[in-house]
Amino acid sequence: MSPEHQGTCLKKLKLEQTPILWLTKIDGEGNIHPLRLEFLLQTLVDFMKSGDTPKIILLDGIEYLMVENGFEPVFKFLAALNDYALLNNTIILVPLDESAVEKRHANLLRREFREIRAD
């Protein structure tokens, strides 16, 4: 999505001040390389700690992170992110297409994190 189109969408949704990061191998402002899990974690933790207001983080693309990093590093990343969220009044939403991950991985994720179903 072009920055102009993204800006228009954010304005329509009244989210102009909402920070958005893009998981991509392309360099650019607001882009994060999918192999930089530690940097992504620190960026999200810094966001959680900014101000005293409650925060919500939508982490879309978890399957992409798993393809690039493997399940175990991403699971550890999510567990650490969840710990920080509990300490910093933040809700983390992580959409997951279960058909894109191994059943045992989906079970581990379900065991570690609370599941919310859209149906």
Side-chain angles (χ1 to χ4, degrees):
M1 177 182 308
S2 73
E4 297 81 25
H5 183 67
Q6 181 177 335
T8 302
C9 290
L10 292 176
K11 189 172 184 175
K12 240 186 225 183
L13 297 171
K14 298 182 180 170
L15 298 172
E16 298 95 340
Q17 296 182 11
T18 303
I20 295 179
L21 303 173
W22 184 26
L23 296 171
T24 180
K25 293 179 181 178
I26 299 169
D27 288 334
E29 186 178 339
N31 297 355
I32 296 186
H33 196 286
L35 295 177
R36 298 187 67 198
L37 288 178
E38 288 181 26
F39 178 76
L40 178 58
L41 178 63
Q42 190 58 55
T43 301
L44 294 173
V45 168
D46 290 346
F47 171 71
M48 287 183 218
K49 291 181 176 182
S50 66
D52 293 330
T53 59
K55 309 278 189 313
I56 295 177
I57 294 174
L58 172 62
L59 183 58
D60 193 23
I62 201 69
E63 300 89 353
Y64 178 52
L65 288 177
M66 288 180 194
V67 167
E68 293 294 331
N69 296 280
F71 176 76
E72 189 173 316
V74 173
F75 185 80
K76 289 177 181 179
F77 160 80
L78 288 173
L81 188 65
N82 192 44
D83 290 345
Y84 282 106
L86 291 171
L87 296 172
N88 290 286
N89 199 15
T90 302
I91 296 171
I92 309 288
L93 299 173
V94 184
L96 176 69
D97 179 355
E98 289 189 37
S99 67
V101 298
E102 293 181 29
K103 184 176 180 177
R104 65 188 177 100
H105 292 161
N107 288 337
L108 280 170
L109 289 166
R110 229 182 268 107
R111 183 175 173 189
E112 186 69 23
F113 305 101
R114 191 173 75 173
E115 182 176 15
I116 301 172
R117 291 220 170 245
D119 39 63

